[in-house]
Structures are given as structure tokens and as C-alpha cells.
Amino acid sequence: MQPVAATVVTNVINRAPRVAPGTVDAHLTVRLASSKSDVIAAQRLRYKVFCEEMGADLHRHDGRDVDQFDAYCEHLIVTDEALGKVVGTYRILAPWGARAVKRMYSEGEFRIDSLRPIAHEIFEVGRACIHPAYRSSGALARLWTALGAYVRDNRVKYLAGCASVPLDSGSLNLGALRAELMSRHLAPVDFRVEPIRGLQSLGDPSGIRPTAPPLLQGYLRLGAWVCGEPAWDPDFDSADFFVLLPIERMVPRYAQRFLGTHTAQ
């Protein structure tokens, strides 16, 4: 089944948060990229956030974050219509896109053999970012709303992705976060993956209250599993946790907000 782009856009417009006229949020719209220039704008935003702001080494110096998956992905974009500028983006690699490129993005970091039986039902999301000037606006909420509409309209069964924790957050925080994730959010053994590049000892997390990045917090609130130990991403110098969200186990109160409906009980 191919994505229902027009339906996604319609649903996002219908479900978009109400905003006061004259505010920045009043000028924000969200949709799937429909042209090469849309994708290039998203790639430029990713470069600004990941390379210029976060210091990632993506081995390019032309102002764009580009990889082999972009041509096979769909790209959600938030645009400030008053300025004609893309200020938020999130990309989706559908199962047919993964088949075309012959692997999932996450396979560069994890051995995912245990997930082969459901690979044809996994939609992989990633490269989410918001322009620094719009992080207190409704840009991120619009991306989540659009992703929820996409999930519902395409009858997605599993969302997956790599949730990154910057290593400059400190080894004790990362150790404490890992301990909490392993004890409270670990996937059943049949859904476990293994990191290709693991991390060395993270220190004693005892007594440390961990802090998780907002995107990882969002996945966990929805009911996502963490599928095992984190991998080291050398390009971003981060610890990446593979997260898997079976839509049917989504927390009901968040399912209503995310999907506009209740999941089956």
C-alpha cells in the first residue's frame, strides 16, 4: 500500500492546534515534501542543526545533510509560510523504501535479525529536527500530528528508529538512563537487537536521576520499547537506542492525541 499523501495533509489541517492570529504558530503549516526543492530545504535545515549546531561530522561541506536513504524516504516538513522557510522536518522510510535501498537505516548501527519477520511492516523514522528559532513554537507538535495522521492513514503497525543521546550529556547520566531504560522499557526477547559498535563502561549510575532527550521521552510516553543496548554513532558522537513502537500497544490516552483515535484494548 502506498502512502496517502493528500489524506495526511487534509487530516493534519483538520487536527492542527488552534493558535492566536498574528503569532508565529499561525504561519506554520506541515505537509509531505512534494518536490526536489522541498527535500533540499529539509536537507539544509538538517545540516544547520546537526552539523553547525551539534557538531556532527557528516562528511559533506555543501550545506546539506544528504545520505543514500533520502531518495527512498518521504519527508515531513514544517514551513513558516510568512517567510517561505522550512523550519522542521522528519523523514519516514516505509517498508517498500527499505526494500528498494536494500536495508533499513538502523542496520548501519544494529544487527536486527530478530526483526526480520516483521520487517515488511516497519516504518522507520529519523532525522527529526527543528530550527533553533522555532523550538518554543508549535513546530514539533505539528510534526507529531502529521506523523500520527500518516501512521493512521497508512495503517502502520510498527514505528522504529534510533533515539540519540549526546555523549556530552555525561557518562553518569547516560549510565543512569541506560539502567532505567533496561529495567522499565526493554523489549521482549523476540524483539531485541544488538549494537554493531557498542559503548564501553558507562560508570556507576547509582543515585543519578537521568535526563532523556525530548524525542526519546516522546517515544516512551507512546509506549515504545527499547530493543537492547545502545550503539555508538561516530558521526554524531551519540549513544543511539533502537526503539520500536507497536502501534497496537500504544498508551490509549496518547493514542487519542497521536492518532486521533483509540487503539484496541
Side-chain angles (χ1 to χ4, degrees):
M1 178 174 61
Q2 296 300 307
V4 194
T7 305
V8 170
V9 173
T10 300
N11 286 334
V12 168
I13 292 172
N14 289 341
R15 294 166 52 206
R18 293 184 179 181
V19 295
T23 64
V24 171
D25 284 8
H27 302 295
L28 299 181
T29 62
V30 62
R31 60 181 172 84
L32 286 169
S34 58
S35 66
K36 183 177 180 179
S37 61
D38 284 343
V39 175
I40 290 174
Q43 292 168 336
R44 292 193 184 284
L45 174 62
R46 285 163 25 189
Y47 187 92
K48 177 179 181 61
V49 173
F50 298 141
C51 296
E52 295 179 0
E53 181 182 352
M54 299 174 59
D57 181 9
L58 299 180
H59 315 292
R60 290 180 66 98
H61 304 283
D62 61 355
R64 294 166 56 199
D65 165 30
V66 182
D67 67 15
Q68 64 178 312
F69 296 92
D70 276 330
Y72 300 92
C73 289
E74 294 176 276
H75 303 261
L76 285 170
I77 55 173
V78 178
T79 303
D80 184 334
E81 297 292 350
L83 301 177
K85 179 171 71 172
V86 171
V87 299
T89 187
Y90 211 161
R91 76 178 184 185
I92 306 165
L93 182 65
W96 47 88
R99 286 195 297 271
V101 78
K102 295 184 170 54
R103 70 179 181 94
M104 291 170 57
Y105 173 88
S106 301
E107 289 183 76
E109 298 188 56
F110 296 94
R111 299 180 185 91
I112 65 166
D113 294 346
S114 64
L115 301 181
R116 298 295 177 200
I118 61 169
H120 64 289
E121 298 177 312
I122 294 177
F123 287 69
E124 190 178 25
V125 293
R127 284 301 203 265
C129 63
I130 301 292
H131 189 288
Y134 290 79
R135 288 177 191 159
S136 60
S137 73
L140 182 58
R142 278 166 168 71
L143 278 179
W144 277 106
T145 298
L147 181 60
Y150 181 100
V151 165
R152 187 190 66 237
D153 294 334
N154 287 279
R155 301 180 184 178
V156 173
K157 291 187 177 180
Y158 296 94
L159 279 180
C162 296
S164 298
V165 180
L167 290 181
D168 62 10
S169 68
S171 62
L172 290 180
N173 176 68
L174 182 56
L177 179 59
R178 174 207 165 274
E180 180 174 296
L181 294 175
M182 294 300 104
S183 65
R184 297 181 57 190
H185 302 283
L186 186 61
V189 66
D190 288 346
F191 297 90
R192 305 274 176 86
V193 302
E194 296 180 359
I196 295 172
R197 294 177 297 269
L199 291 161
Q200 297 180 351
S201 174
L202 299 175
D204 182 5
S206 301
I208 303 296
R209 185 173 182 178
T211 301
L215 191 60
L216 177 55
Q217 291 179 26
Y219 288 137
L220 297 177
R221 286 193 196 101
L222 289 173
W225 290 320
V226 171
C227 294
E229 296 288 348
W232 175 51
D233 183 340
D235 292 338
F236 286 83
D237 196 28
S238 64
D240 285 2
F241 291 89
F242 187 96
V243 295
L244 180 69
L245 175 60
I247 301 303
E248 67 178 8
R249 78 178 298 269
M250 191 179 293
V251 177
R253 69 179 180 276
Y254 292 118
Q256 186 173 20
R257 297 179 192 174
F258 186 61
L259 303 174
T261 186
H262 289 285
T263 55
Q265 298 298 301

